Amino acid sequence: MYINRLGFCLSAFPSSFNLMLSLSLCLLCYWNMTSEKIESSGANPASSQASTAKAKSVEIEAPIPSQMVAIDDLKVDMTSIEDFDASTSNEEDEAHVCSKGTIEAAPFFIPSNKRRKTIDVLECFPEKMFVNVGDAKSNVFKYCKRRLKLQKAKATTHLTRHMTQCVNKKKALGKNVVVGEQTILCFQPSNLELPNCFSTSTVLKTSMKYEHSKVRKALAHLIMTAELPINIVERVEFNNFCRVLQPLYEKVERKQVKTDCFRVYQAESVRLKKTFEEITRISITTDLWKSDTQNIEYMIITAHWVDQSWSLNKRLINFVHLPPPRRGIDIASTIFECLKSWEIHNKVQTITMDNASANDSCIKRLKEDFEMQRPLLCDGKLFHVRCTAHIVNLLVQDGVAVIKPIIDNIRESVKFIRASEARQKIFSNIAMQCGIKERKLILDYPTRWNSTYKMLTTALQFKDVFPRYMFVDSNYTYCPTREEWDRLEVVCDFLEIFDVITKLISGSQYTTSNRYFMEVFRIKEILKEREFDEDRAISKMVSAMSEKFNKYWGNVNFLMAIASIMDPRIKFLMITLAFPILYGEENAPGEIENVKRNLEKLYNEYVDIMSSENPSTTSAPSQYQTRTQQTPSTILGNSSSSRSFQSRRYESGYSWLRLKEHKERTHSKATIKSELEIYFEERSIEIPEDVDSGDFNVLHWWRDNQYKYKVLSRMAADILTIPISTVASESTFSAGNRVIDTYKSSLSPETVNMLMCGADWMRALYNSKKQDQMRDEVEDVELILPDK
């Protein structure tokens, strides 16, 4: 059958092509004959019995050495065909010749045409991560979480292509990644036990991994802390800089950054609320600020407290928009709502505000609201605290008003010089000729007297230059006279001590409240000494300043007095020293007794508070208290033995027994002293002369003695924490000018509140400072004169 087919095919083609085709057909014929022969042998019973052997064998006759087949005058060597078939078989499946002349062949194996499963694809696209979107089904790549649509034919070509190109997979497997022209080396963590000298090798033990979520969080922290504009992330320069630092950096959009900042703000506010839950009393400072850019007014609220480590803490909790009308009742309502949102409206003990007229009605309303939440300390005498820094500023402003014409001439002189570069060069040349090395003029901020003082003291260094410049420039007509310069020099010497006091009480890193009373006493002493000064300008200044002093500090400030007493270096000594000078010899004893009564009342309130919170704190006697010994009456009491004792009153010697009882009661009765009495009886601590008094931390002293004075230490912590200045809130004004500048005037009040409060929290988190801490350079305009 096969020969006939072969003859038919050869007759149909030319001779050159017939030879090649004949060889192919012969191979096919031989293959079919061999398959039929093997199948027939498999059907033989003898062969089935041989299947139980280790190897199945088939006996065939040895081929003829030279077997030729004639096909239409063409001779084909079948031996060569057999040799070709044997040469193409696998070495392990070759038949080997046995000793009996038979050939043992391996079982015939036909490879399967079934496609191999793509195990790698299934591992990278697990079924549990499949996502159904409508009727479509998508695969999710486990390394980069990218979705790839699952095709109906279940083809995996596009999946394999993504597997080979995914950068995240290469980084996860520790393969090098090429980004642009830079190759990033990724190292898998090493589990080898290395010598000690290699134990800190970061190359062998760490795996580089870019986490975009952490980058976004850090970027939000940076923008809030450094007060950067949100749209900086869209600038080409910023993105180029980030890609140089990290080639894998992914660009973040402006809206995404704003969302991240709000998330950081919300997370930190939750953490701050948990901190407030652990605090019993909080003090508040507040002030108002108007944005010139947005032309709206904001209220700043700052919370102050002592933490468990007895350290002062303050946080900006609200930077809220205060719409008109801004009456006292409106201010009070806004403050109470803000405190209620933080859940601290029942923990506020004092509020520090400036001396604006609307604040008096505000305090009156807030006092009523807070008394409904919990009783105020000392009948509310400590609730309202007037800003000491504001009072000092008003006091000195009234004083320097006496020399206002001189101040105006100097202010206009500085403005005239800084208006032109040519004037600055001429003024600098004259200063060099006079041998003056100073190269700076300052223009003050009129509402801050210490800024004006700095302008005056700087201008005094150029008092010989201004008259000479007047001869060079005829347009300059503001030069003070020689008498005015002399008077100004005397006034600046007098104001120097007030500048020192202002810096102390106006520092944004405020001190505890025990130091303020000493500074107020120092101001009173200075005014009293210079009240009848020979210089008429000084005497007029002192008269105006004394009037303002008596307006605000003419009556006893209980908070300052009690805070001073809580200083273990001072105790009651400062009160007895300062009160005769502050309030007169006649009134001083009565005022001192009044302070003692209020102090004892405040202490008893804390005893009741701590007894209700923890009865064991005050019920147990202190180590400095002596137990009262039990007398017979207390021993018998109302027991059954008391009746037998009473029955003996008719016996002889009953009077002696009563006398003995009275004697034991009198001698054994001990006086239990309070912590306050023990505190006053002990000698005040001494500070070595080589140690600066400002370095003494009064809060840490109470922390070290909190087990000795359980009640008094807590009272001292609450009193010493009360801020007597609103500088902590006012220091936010300069930051507000940077956040709400000309290019960011469209920010909503909610975004401004988030940026301002978040910046304060982030600086506390990273222990970093503001760009300025209420330094004079922020308000002052410095004019740097050229050297040549």
Side-chain angles (χ1 to χ4, degrees):
M1 178 181 64
Y2 297 108
I3 300 300
N4 294 334
R5 291 178 183 177
L6 181 62
F8 174 78
C9 294
L10 293 176
S11 62
F13 295 97
S15 59
S16 61
F17 182 75
N18 288 342
L19 180 60
M20 297 176 61
L21 184 61
S22 62
L23 292 175
S24 302
L25 292 176
C26 288
L27 290 173
L28 180 60
C29 294
Y30 179 75
W31 178 268
N32 292 332
M33 288 187 297
T34 305
S35 300
E36 292 174 359
K37 195 170 184 179
I38 293 174
E39 291 175 359
S40 62
S41 63
N44 193 355
S47 63
S48 62
Q49 295 176 0
S51 63
T52 59
K54 294 182 179 179
K56 185 183 295 183
S57 61
V58 179
E59 293 184 358
I60 60 176
E61 296 181 357
I64 302 174
S66 178
Q67 186 176 359
M68 304 294 293
V69 179
I71 304 175
D72 293 345
D73 300 333
L74 292 177
K75 297 180 180 181
V76 180
D77 191 353
M78 299 302 295
T79 305
S80 61
I81 296 177
E82 292 176 357
D83 295 339
F84 175 80
D85 182 68
S87 63
T88 58
S89 63
N90 197 336
E91 293 182 358
E92 296 180 357
D93 299 334
E94 282 185 343
H96 57 277
V97 180
C98 300
S99 59
K100 295 182 180 181
T102 59
I103 300 176
E104 185 177 348
F108 187 76
F109 173 77
I110 300 177
S112 175
N113 292 331
K114 187 176 181 180
R115 191 173 182 180
R116 184 182 178 184
K117 293 183 178 180
T118 54
I119 301 177
D120 295 339
V121 175
L122 296 178
E123 291 179 352
C124 296
F125 294 90
E127 294 184 2
K128 64 180 180 179
M129 299 183 65
F130 284 5
V131 178
N132 294 323
V133 182
D135 297 335
K137 195 173 184 179
S138 300
N139 302 57
V140 180
F141 194 50
K142 69 177 184 178
Y143 291 101
C144 64
K145 310 304 181 194
R146 182 177 177 181
R147 297 182 182 180
L148 298 176
K149 189 175 180 181
L150 182 63
Q151 299 181 0
K152 294 183 179 180
K154 297 185 179 180
T156 59
T157 304
H158 64 299
L159 304 180
T160 307
R161 185 185 306 112
H162 182 73
M163 286 171 51
T164 57
Q165 297 176 355
C166 182
V167 177
N168 291 338
K169 179 186 176 183
K170 293 180 180 180
K171 291 188 294 182
L173 299 179
K175 298 181 180 180
N176 296 343
V177 181
V178 179
V179 179
E181 299 179 355
Q182 184 174 359
T183 301
I184 302 174
L185 302 179
C186 298
F187 300 93
Q188 285 283 60
S190 176
N191 296 324
L192 300 177
E193 294 184 0
L194 301 176
N196 294 331
C197 59
F198 299 105
S199 60
T200 58
S201 175
T202 57
V203 176
L204 295 175
K205 287 192 173 182
T206 59
S207 177
M208 181 179 178
K209 185 178 181 181
Y210 174 79
E211 299 184 18
H212 190 56
S213 59
K214 291 185 177 181
V215 172
R216 287 172 51 184
K217 183 178 179 181
L219 187 58
H221 286 197
L222 173 65
I223 289 177
M224 298 172 76
T225 306
E227 300 168 358
L228 299 175
I230 297 178
N231 59 0
I232 191 176
V233 296
E234 296 182 345
R235 296 183 64 88
V236 178
E237 301 85 356
F238 177 81
N239 287 278
N240 290 339
F241 175 74
C242 293
R243 288 193 177 95
V244 170
L245 292 177
Q246 173 55 269
L248 300 177
Y249 171 75
E250 301 176 13
K251 182 180 177 181
V252 186
E253 300 296 334
R254 175 177 56 85
K255 293 183 178 179
Q256 196 173 32
V257 172
K258 183 178 179 180
T259 303
D260 293 340
C261 291
F262 269 105
R263 290 176 179 173
V264 171
Y265 168 80
Q266 293 173 356
E268 292 299 322
S269 63
V270 171
R271 183 185 303 177
L272 190 57
K273 280 186 178 181
K274 292 181 179 179
T275 303
F276 289 154
E277 292 176 358
E278 302 174 356
I279 301 170
T280 56
R281 294 192 180 274
I282 299 175
S283 298
I284 298 298
T285 58
T286 180
D287 207 342
L288 300 180
W289 174 74
K290 182 178 180 181
S291 172
D292 296 332
T293 305
Q294 294 182 329
N295 199 25
I296 62 178
E297 198 155 348
Y298 290 90
M299 174 184 290
I300 299 94
I301 304 177
T302 309
H304 307 255
W305 73 94
V306 174
D307 59 15
Q308 296 180 353
S309 62
W310 292 71
S311 299
L312 285 172
N313 289 271
K314 68 180 182 70
R315 295 291 186 275
L316 177 66
I317 59 175
N318 282 102
F319 196 93
V320 60
H321 173 221
L322 184 64
R326 303 177 186 90
R327 301 168 300 176
I329 188 173
D330 301 322
I331 298 174
S333 177
T334 304
I335 293 176
F336 191 80
E337 290 299 326
C338 291
L339 298 179
K340 194 173 181 180
S341 64
W342 283 98
E343 300 177 0
I344 58 175
H345 56 286
N346 58 345
K347 297 183 179 182
V348 175
Q349 62 176 345
T350 62
I351 294 183
T352 305
M353 308 179 74
D354 59 16
N355 300 287
S357 57
N359 290 339
D360 293 335
S361 58
C362 171
I363 288 296
K364 184 178 180 180
R365 176 63 181 272
L366 285 175
K367 204 171 184 180
E368 297 174 356
D369 295 339
F370 285 122
E371 283 180 341
M372 297 176 63
Q373 304 297 324
R374 64 186 295 184
L376 297 177
L377 294 176
C378 207
D379 296 333
K381 294 180 181 179
L382 308 178
F383 181 71
H384 181 203
V385 182
R386 296 185 182 273
C387 177
T388 305
H390 191 254
I391 296 175
V392 173
N393 184 61
L394 295 176
L395 185 145
V396 182
Q397 287 282 9
D398 288 355
V400 297
V402 177
I403 58 170
K404 187 177 182 300
I406 303 177
I407 296 175
D408 291 341
N409 284 336
I410 293 179
R411 185 180 293 118
E412 294 299 327
S413 298
V414 176
K415 290 181 180 180
F416 185 85
I417 298 299
R418 68 186 296 265
S420 171
E421 183 180 0
R423 296 173 184 173
Q424 296 176 23
K425 289 184 177 181
I426 297 173
F427 190 87
S428 178
N429 292 333
I430 298 174
M432 294 177 64
Q433 294 175 5
C434 296
I436 300 175
K437 297 181 180 180
E438 182 66 31
R439 288 290 179 273
K440 181 172 64 176
L441 286 174
I442 294 178
L443 184 62
D444 69 332
Y445 194 77
T447 58
R448 297 188 178 273
W449 88 266
N450 53 333
S451 175
T452 303
Y453 171 78
K454 193 171 183 179
M455 179 189 69
L456 298 178
T457 54
T458 305
L460 277 173
Q461 302 180 32
F462 298 92
K463 65 178 182 179
D464 296 331
V465 180
F466 283 103
R468 288 177 172 82
Y469 182 83
M470 183 176 58
F471 292 108
V472 176
D473 192 345
S474 59
N475 295 323
Y476 174 61
T477 58
Y478 307 106
C479 182
T481 63
R482 176 59 62 181
E483 292 77 11
E484 291 176 340
W485 283 113
D486 295 339
R487 181 178 301 174
L488 180 63
E489 191 170 1
V490 174
V491 170
C492 288
D493 292 339
F494 170 70
L495 295 177
E496 183 179 3
I497 185 62
F498 294 93
D499 182 61
V500 175
I501 296 174
T502 302
K503 288 180 180 179
L504 175 64
I505 64 180
S506 299
S508 57
Q509 300 298 325
Y510 65 95
T511 58
T512 49
S513 56
N514 59 301
R515 301 191 63 180
Y516 289 90
F517 184 73
M518 298 180 66
E519 303 305 325
V520 172
F521 172 64
R522 182 157 61 155
I523 292 174
K524 181 63 177 179
E525 276 194 319
I526 294 171
L527 296 178
K528 192 171 183 179
E529 290 175 359
R530 305 297 292 270
E531 183 177 3
F532 303 102
D533 195 89
E534 296 179 356
D535 191 292
R536 294 184 59 186
I538 298 297
S539 61
K540 289 183 179 179
M541 289 178 61
V542 170
S543 177
M545 295 168 71
S546 298
E547 184 178 353
K548 187 69 69 174
F549 183 94
N550 294 330
K551 177 181 179 180
Y552 292 105
W553 289 325
N555 298 323
V556 177
N557 190 310
F558 288 106
L559 176 58
M560 287 188 181
I562 294 175
S564 176
I565 295 172
M566 291 295 101
D567 191 334
R569 301 168 299 174
I570 302 172
K571 297 186 178 180
F572 238 98
L573 298 176
M574 195 65 196
I575 300 297
T576 56
L577 172 65
F579 270 41
I581 298 176
L582 290 172
Y583 311 111
E585 296 289 345
E586 297 179 357
N587 300 327
E591 298 293 348
I592 292 175
E593 290 298 326
N594 193 17
V595 171
K596 288 182 178 180
R597 286 194 299 269
N598 284 279
L599 180 61
E600 292 175 357
K601 182 178 181 180
L602 182 62
Y603 171 77
N604 293 330
E605 290 178 0
Y606 269 90
V607 171
D608 296 337
I609 292 172
M610 296 189 67
S611 299
S612 60
E613 293 178 355
N614 187 7
S616 61
T617 302
T618 55
S619 61
S622 174
Q623 58 179 330
Y624 298 92
Q625 298 174 354
T626 306
R627 294 178 182 269
T628 304
Q629 297 182 359
Q630 293 178 326
T631 61
S633 61
T634 58
I635 294 175
L636 296 175
N638 297 325
S639 63
S640 60
S641 59
S642 62
R643 290 191 295 270
S644 61
F645 177 79
Q646 293 176 0
S647 63
R648 286 182 291 176
R649 69 176 60 184
Y650 301 105
E651 299 178 0
S652 61
Y654 170 76
S655 300
W656 287 102
L657 184 62
R658 292 292 306 272
L659 181 60
K660 182 180 179 181
E661 179 186 6
H662 176 70
K663 182 179 179 180
E664 290 178 354
R665 187 187 301 115
T666 303
H667 291 289
S668 63
K669 186 177 181 180
T671 303
I672 300 177
K673 297 181 179 179
S674 66
E675 294 179 2
L676 189 62
E677 293 173 336
I678 298 171
Y679 174 71
F680 288 135
E681 288 180 358
E682 292 183 351
R683 186 180 180 85
S684 58
I685 64 174
E686 300 292 339
I687 303 297
E689 295 181 358
D690 57 341
V691 178
D692 186 7
S693 59
D695 297 336
F696 178 76
N697 194 323
V698 63
L699 282 177
H700 288 180
W701 186 90
W702 283 105
R703 177 196 62 188
D704 298 337
N705 293 271
Q706 59 179 317
Y707 298 106
K708 180 178 178 180
Y709 304 105
K710 296 180 180 179
V711 179
L712 197 60
S713 61
R714 178 171 171 179
M715 186 182 82
D718 292 340
I719 296 298
L720 295 173
T721 310
I722 299 175
I724 312 185
S725 173
T726 60
V727 175
S729 296
E730 292 179 1
S731 61
T732 314
F733 296 166
S734 55
N737 286 324
R738 293 190 298 270
V739 173
I740 314 175
D741 58 9
T742 307
Y743 302 99
K744 293 176 284 187
S745 58
S746 61
L747 292 177
S748 64
E750 292 78 13
T751 304
V752 173
N753 178 70
M754 177 268 296
L755 292 175
M756 297 299 299
C757 295
D760 184 73
W761 302 343
M762 290 298 103
R763 280 189 287 266
L765 179 64
Y766 294 111
N767 196 21
S768 61
K769 295 182 179 180
K770 294 182 181 180
Q771 296 183 15
D772 60 87
Q773 295 288 356
M774 286 301 292
R775 297 174 296 181
D776 293 337
E777 288 79 2
V778 177
E779 291 85 12
D780 303 337
V781 180
E782 293 188 355
L783 171 61
I784 307 300
L785 301 174
D787 295 334
K788 295 182 180 179

